[in-house]
Amino acid sequence: MVSNEILHSLFDQYGHVYLTIFSDTLIIPWNVLSIEDYIECSRYKQFGTMPISEIEEYIFKKYVLDKDIVKVFEYLPAGVISTVSANIWESSFPLSLNQLSTDLDLARAELVSPDMKIYHEMISLILQAFPYKPEEIYLMDYATLMERFSQAEDKLLRQGFLQKPVSFSVPKETKKIEQMKQENTMKAKEYVDNIIKHKTESKTKLIDRDIKPNENHIDQFEHTKKWWKTSPILEADKRAKKNIDVNAEAAEITATAMTGWEKEDKYLQQSELQKRAKVIYKDVLQTLDKQKKASTIKSGK
Amino acid sequence: MEKNEQQLAQEKAEQERQDGLKNLLREYQGSPSVAQIDEWKAVHGEVMMSAMSETELFIFRPLRRFEYRQMQEQATKMQGEGQAFDQGKYEEMLCDVCVLWKSVDTPWEKAKAGTLATLTEQIHQNSNFYSPAAASMLVVKL
């Protein structure tokens, strides 16, 4: 495990770079490939015009920052050069199209983000007017940036590339949206205030009226309790206040469900089913009979 | 800088381990002396020992970059001349370069089938050849 002191000293020496750490005594600082070198090395790899070991050594000698290590690279363990070159290669360009798409989305996000957009637009305008490189503009201070920006604006206006001077004010559409948001917030606040006021008033009224419970109101809990105590089949009869004619209902179903020979065999099947049911559900039928007798006795009272 | 107790204990343990290995080597006929091993360390930096069985001991060193390139050039040359150069040939060449001493004095072609392949893998690992996944684990961004 490399100590923080070593890392800090390397940072002080090289800045924001990558490290490949083999051991405490072998730490290789490096930077990523330029796009030019990446494309060139890709070409060599693809067409086999240069041995892989030579490509690795080229990358190692050019992009490893510790030149003392580079001087003695031939005497280092053979895998150091291969491993560091592989690290440099992987960090220089995405290895898959998915990664490339993700990186592009991140770069786009910076261009359109409200905080960063204005810097990139200013730089873009200066680049349109003058043959600067972006890196040169990044090195400018604020006063120089504004001077170049105004010069670029003037040049582009004269040449007709700009129709009117640049304005840094908030666009009208954004203003309108902001205004609408504020109005909606006010309306929502009023609405909530009204509800609270109404509720407060209603509460006061209830307390004043001293409401008593309605005696005729059926207690749902009691009704449920009663339902669980007795047979649901028999209770259903009482609640409906009419006898359910099972035979009539069955006849209705069979009339539509059964065809010619099924109708003929219906009675045989029914009696067979009843016989079997009596055996299987003997205990259930006995319990139902007992309950029926008990409820008959109660109602008789 | 004064060494703390932990460092001293580690050094002592390492020394004991080294002494144990040197004592082990003495049991093998024709084994290198301590002075010879120290000389190899001075020349090659690191010296490793691999024991594949009780009778098969190998002392080897890491492969250097210039040797690796020379082997690649030789392989390319042989292929250009129409000679066969395959993985077996590479393993033999590598072990000829890196193995400093072996306890069993038999030619490579008469050794057990996996000896060369295993030694090659051990030499590669100790020469800092890593798989892509392992290599990416070594990277830190400052």
Short mmCIF file of all heavy atoms in Angstrom, two decimals, chain A residues 255-276:
data_model
loop_
_atom_site.label_atom_id
_atom_site.label_comp_id
_atom_site.label_asym_id
_atom_site.label_seq_id
_atom_site.Cartn_x
_atom_site.Cartn_y
_atom_site.Cartn_z
N ALA A 255 -80.21 -25.70 -18.45
CA ALA A 255 -80.96 -25.50 -19.69
C ALA A 255 -80.08 -24.89 -20.76
O ALA A 255 -80.19 -25.22 -21.95
CB ALA A 255 -82.17 -24.61 -19.42
N THR A 256 -79.23 -24.04 -20.34
CA THR A 256 -78.36 -23.40 -21.32
C THR A 256 -77.05 -24.15 -21.51
O THR A 256 -76.41 -24.05 -22.56
CB THR A 256 -78.03 -21.96 -20.88
OG1 THR A 256 -77.52 -22.01 -19.55
CG2 THR A 256 -79.26 -21.07 -20.94
N ALA A 257 -76.62 -24.89 -20.48
CA ALA A 257 -75.30 -25.52 -20.56
C ALA A 257 -75.30 -26.86 -21.23
O ALA A 257 -74.36 -27.23 -21.92
CB ALA A 257 -74.73 -25.67 -19.15
N MET A 258 -76.43 -27.65 -21.10
CA MET A 258 -76.40 -29.05 -21.52
C MET A 258 -77.02 -29.27 -22.89
O MET A 258 -77.94 -28.57 -23.28
CB MET A 258 -77.16 -29.91 -20.51
CG MET A 258 -76.43 -30.04 -19.19
SD MET A 258 -77.28 -31.22 -18.15
CE MET A 258 -76.15 -31.33 -16.82
N THR A 259 -76.50 -30.25 -23.61
CA THR A 259 -77.05 -30.65 -24.93
C THR A 259 -77.92 -31.89 -24.74
O THR A 259 -78.12 -32.34 -23.61
CB THR A 259 -75.92 -30.95 -25.91
OG1 THR A 259 -75.11 -31.96 -25.34
CG2 THR A 259 -75.11 -29.70 -26.20
N GLY A 260 -78.43 -32.47 -25.86
CA GLY A 260 -79.43 -33.54 -25.87
C GLY A 260 -79.11 -34.72 -24.95
O GLY A 260 -79.79 -34.97 -23.97
N TRP A 261 -78.02 -35.43 -25.22
CA TRP A 261 -77.77 -36.65 -24.47
C TRP A 261 -77.35 -36.29 -23.04
O TRP A 261 -77.56 -37.08 -22.10
CB TRP A 261 -76.72 -37.53 -25.16
CG TRP A 261 -75.34 -36.92 -25.23
CD1 TRP A 261 -74.82 -36.20 -26.25
CD2 TRP A 261 -74.33 -36.98 -24.22
NE1 TRP A 261 -73.56 -35.83 -25.96
CE2 TRP A 261 -73.22 -36.28 -24.71
CE3 TRP A 261 -74.25 -37.57 -22.94
CZ2 TRP A 261 -72.06 -36.15 -23.99
CZ3 TRP A 261 -73.07 -37.41 -22.23
CH2 TRP A 261 -71.99 -36.70 -22.76
N GLU A 262 -76.76 -35.11 -22.82
CA GLU A 262 -76.39 -34.70 -21.46
C GLU A 262 -77.64 -34.49 -20.62
O GLU A 262 -77.67 -34.81 -19.42
CB GLU A 262 -75.56 -33.40 -21.50
CG GLU A 262 -74.13 -33.61 -21.95
CD GLU A 262 -73.40 -32.32 -22.22
OE1 GLU A 262 -74.05 -31.27 -22.40
OE2 GLU A 262 -72.16 -32.35 -22.25
N LYS A 263 -78.68 -33.96 -21.26
CA LYS A 263 -79.93 -33.74 -20.53
C LYS A 263 -80.52 -35.08 -20.08
O LYS A 263 -81.05 -35.23 -18.98
CB LYS A 263 -80.93 -33.00 -21.40
CG LYS A 263 -80.64 -31.52 -21.51
CD LYS A 263 -81.71 -30.82 -22.35
CE LYS A 263 -81.34 -29.38 -22.56
NZ LYS A 263 -82.25 -28.70 -23.48
N GLU A 264 -80.43 -36.08 -20.98
CA GLU A 264 -80.98 -37.39 -20.66
C GLU A 264 -80.23 -38.01 -19.48
O GLU A 264 -80.82 -38.63 -18.61
CB GLU A 264 -80.86 -38.33 -21.87
CG GLU A 264 -81.78 -37.97 -23.04
CD GLU A 264 -83.23 -38.07 -22.65
OE1 GLU A 264 -83.62 -39.05 -21.99
OE2 GLU A 264 -83.99 -37.13 -22.99
N ASP A 265 -78.90 -37.83 -19.49
CA ASP A 265 -78.07 -38.46 -18.45
C ASP A 265 -77.96 -37.62 -17.20
O ASP A 265 -77.33 -38.03 -16.22
CB ASP A 265 -76.65 -38.73 -18.97
CG ASP A 265 -76.63 -39.77 -20.07
OD1 ASP A 265 -77.59 -40.55 -20.14
OD2 ASP A 265 -75.64 -39.81 -20.83
N LYS A 266 -78.61 -36.45 -17.20
CA LYS A 266 -78.43 -35.48 -16.11
C LYS A 266 -78.84 -36.07 -14.76
O LYS A 266 -78.12 -35.95 -13.78
CB LYS A 266 -79.28 -34.24 -16.45
CG LYS A 266 -79.30 -33.18 -15.38
CD LYS A 266 -80.18 -32.02 -15.78
CE LYS A 266 -81.64 -32.43 -15.66
NZ LYS A 266 -82.56 -31.30 -15.84
N TYR A 267 -79.97 -36.76 -14.77
CA TYR A 267 -80.52 -37.25 -13.49
C TYR A 267 -79.64 -38.35 -12.91
O TYR A 267 -79.42 -38.41 -11.69
CB TYR A 267 -81.95 -37.75 -13.68
CG TYR A 267 -82.85 -36.64 -14.16
CD1 TYR A 267 -83.29 -36.58 -15.50
CD2 TYR A 267 -83.26 -35.62 -13.30
CE1 TYR A 267 -84.09 -35.56 -15.94
CE2 TYR A 267 -84.05 -34.59 -13.75
CZ TYR A 267 -84.47 -34.57 -15.07
OH TYR A 267 -85.24 -33.54 -15.51
N LEU A 268 -79.13 -39.18 -13.81
CA LEU A 268 -78.22 -40.23 -13.36
C LEU A 268 -76.97 -39.62 -12.74
O LEU A 268 -76.51 -40.04 -11.68
CB LEU A 268 -77.81 -41.14 -14.54
CG LEU A 268 -78.91 -42.01 -15.13
CD1 LEU A 268 -78.41 -42.65 -16.42
CD2 LEU A 268 -79.34 -43.09 -14.14
N GLN A 269 -76.45 -38.62 -13.40
CA GLN A 269 -75.22 -37.97 -12.93
C GLN A 269 -75.47 -37.27 -11.60
O GLN A 269 -74.64 -37.31 -10.68
CB GLN A 269 -74.72 -36.95 -13.95
CG GLN A 269 -74.03 -37.59 -15.15
CD GLN A 269 -73.59 -36.57 -16.17
OE1 GLN A 269 -73.96 -35.40 -16.07
NE2 GLN A 269 -72.84 -37.00 -17.16
N GLN A 270 -76.63 -36.62 -11.49
CA GLN A 270 -76.94 -35.89 -10.26
C GLN A 270 -77.02 -36.82 -9.07
O GLN A 270 -76.47 -36.55 -8.00
CB GLN A 270 -78.28 -35.14 -10.41
CG GLN A 270 -78.12 -33.78 -11.05
CD GLN A 270 -79.44 -33.07 -11.24
OE1 GLN A 270 -80.51 -33.66 -10.99
NE2 GLN A 270 -79.39 -31.85 -11.69
N SER A 271 -77.73 -37.96 -9.27
CA SER A 271 -77.88 -38.87 -8.14
C SER A 271 -76.54 -39.47 -7.76
O SER A 271 -76.23 -39.66 -6.59
CB SER A 271 -78.90 -39.97 -8.47
OG SER A 271 -78.39 -40.80 -9.49
N GLU A 272 -75.72 -39.75 -8.78
CA GLU A 272 -74.39 -40.29 -8.52
C GLU A 272 -73.56 -39.29 -7.73
O GLU A 272 -72.88 -39.63 -6.76
CB GLU A 272 -73.73 -40.61 -9.87
CG GLU A 272 -72.53 -41.53 -9.83
CD GLU A 272 -72.83 -42.87 -9.21
OE1 GLU A 272 -73.91 -43.44 -9.46
OE2 GLU A 272 -71.98 -43.35 -8.46
N LEU A 273 -73.63 -38.01 -8.13
CA LEU A 273 -72.88 -36.94 -7.46
C LEU A 273 -73.36 -36.76 -6.02
O LEU A 273 -72.55 -36.59 -5.11
CB LEU A 273 -73.06 -35.61 -8.22
CG LEU A 273 -72.18 -35.43 -9.46
CD1 LEU A 273 -72.62 -34.19 -10.23
CD2 LEU A 273 -70.72 -35.28 -9.08
N GLN A 274 -74.66 -36.83 -5.85
CA GLN A 274 -75.21 -36.64 -4.50
C GLN A 274 -74.75 -37.75 -3.57
O GLN A 274 -74.42 -37.51 -2.42
CB GLN A 274 -76.75 -36.58 -4.57
CG GLN A 274 -77.25 -35.23 -5.03
CD GLN A 274 -78.73 -35.26 -5.34
OE1 GLN A 274 -79.41 -36.28 -5.15
NE2 GLN A 274 -79.24 -34.15 -5.84
N LYS A 275 -74.75 -38.97 -4.11
CA LYS A 275 -74.31 -40.10 -3.28
C LYS A 275 -72.88 -39.89 -2.83
O LYS A 275 -72.53 -40.08 -1.67
CB LYS A 275 -74.39 -41.40 -4.10
CG LYS A 275 -75.72 -42.09 -4.09
CD LYS A 275 -75.59 -43.44 -4.81
CE LYS A 275 -76.96 -43.89 -5.28
NZ LYS A 275 -76.88 -45.05 -6.19
N ARG A 276 -72.06 -39.50 -3.79
CA ARG A 276 -70.63 -39.34 -3.46
C ARG A 276 -70.41 -38.18 -2.50
O ARG A 276 -69.62 -38.24 -1.58
CB ARG A 276 -69.83 -39.09 -4.74
CG ARG A 276 -69.65 -40.32 -5.59
CD ARG A 276 -68.73 -40.00 -6.74
NE ARG A 276 -68.94 -40.92 -7.83
CZ ARG A 276 -68.46 -40.75 -9.06
NH1 ARG A 276 -67.79 -39.68 -9.36
NH2 ARG A 276 -68.69 -41.65 -10.00
#
